[in-house]
Every structure is written in structure tokens, then in C-alpha cells.
Amino acid sequence: MYDQPRPNPSRAAMTFEQMLERVRYEGAYPTRERAAQAVHNVLAALGRQIIGDERVDLAQCLPIEAALTLTAQIPDTEQLTGWGFIKDLAARTGATPATARWDTGAVLATVTRLTGPELLARILHRLPGGYAPLFGQVQLRQPQPA
């Protein structure tokens, strides 16, 4: 059997304003503008990491404004680990790693709600280790040969 993109089941549509309110709630941000800043920063960083069908399918799940932020980025030639993603986001935004991690968690928790489990599993399968906790998922260790 070979990997073929699977159609995503229909998810309840979310407007960009609803997405911002969800991120604002998840991140306990004081303003919608702060939530919007987190959304744009995190999705731009994610857009530099995700490639292929997963990138296209993820963009289809997002509100148009968020999808444009994700797809406007040219994917990096070298994928970062989850921790590398946080460090890169902190460096690009001038934030501390703790703030970058907080922003990432707030945004990706909302993205997780929009993607559904099948697409999320495909995205995590394509990314290097360390991304599952960023999406609010358990990172299972791969069995090591004896």
C-alpha cells in the first residue's frame, strides 16, 4: 500500500475571527491583536516546515487569512525539530523561547481542532521529532532495535 492523500472529512468551518477568539482564549491573550500576531507568526513558521500534500490539506482546513499566511512561506530546505522550531520562532520574532512556546501551543491547539486526527497524524508523520507536544499530542517514542 502506498501513501495517497485522503480527502479530509468535512470539518465545521471556522472564520478567521472565530479562530482569533479561540487562540485568544487558549493563550489567555489580552487582545485580539495579540492573538492575531501569534497566529501569523506561528503559521508563517509552520509554513516553512510543512511540505507536500499535508501543506495543501492543512491550508484547506484553515480560514483563508490563516491559509494565506501558511502558504506564503517558502519551505526551508532543512526541517527543524520541535525545539528547533521554537528557537527559530523566538529568534525571528524577538521573543523569548518561553513566549514562542506559549504562542505555538495556543495557535496549534486551534489548528488541531480544525485539522482532525487523520490529517494531524499525517502532518506529525512528515515532521521531525518534537512536534507532537506543540500540537498538544503525546510524543510516543519509537522502539529502538536491541
Side-chain angles (χ1 to χ4, degrees), residues 11 14 19 22-23 26 43 46 58 61-62 104-121 123-124 131-138:
R11 307 285 302 165
M14 183 182 284
M19 182 180 190
R22 172 51 80 183
V23 170
E26 292 286 342
L43 290 180
L46 190 60
L58 175 57
C61 293
L62 298 174
T104 299
V107 174
L108 295 185
T110 303
V111 168
T112 297
R113 293 174 61 105
L114 292 168
T115 61
E118 288 182 26
L119 177 55
L120 181 59
I123 290 169
L124 291 174
Y131 279 87
L134 301 180
F135 282 91
Q137 305 296 304
V138 175

Side-chain angles (χ1 to χ4, degrees), residues 6 17 28 32 43 51 79-80 88 96 99 115 118 120 124 142:
R6 294 180 190 99
E17 287 73 28
R32 181 178 276 193
L43 290 180
I51 59 172
Q79 285 188 314
L80 301 171
D88 181 65
T96 65
T99 300
T115 61
E118 288 182 26
L120 181 59
L124 291 174
Q142 297 295 322

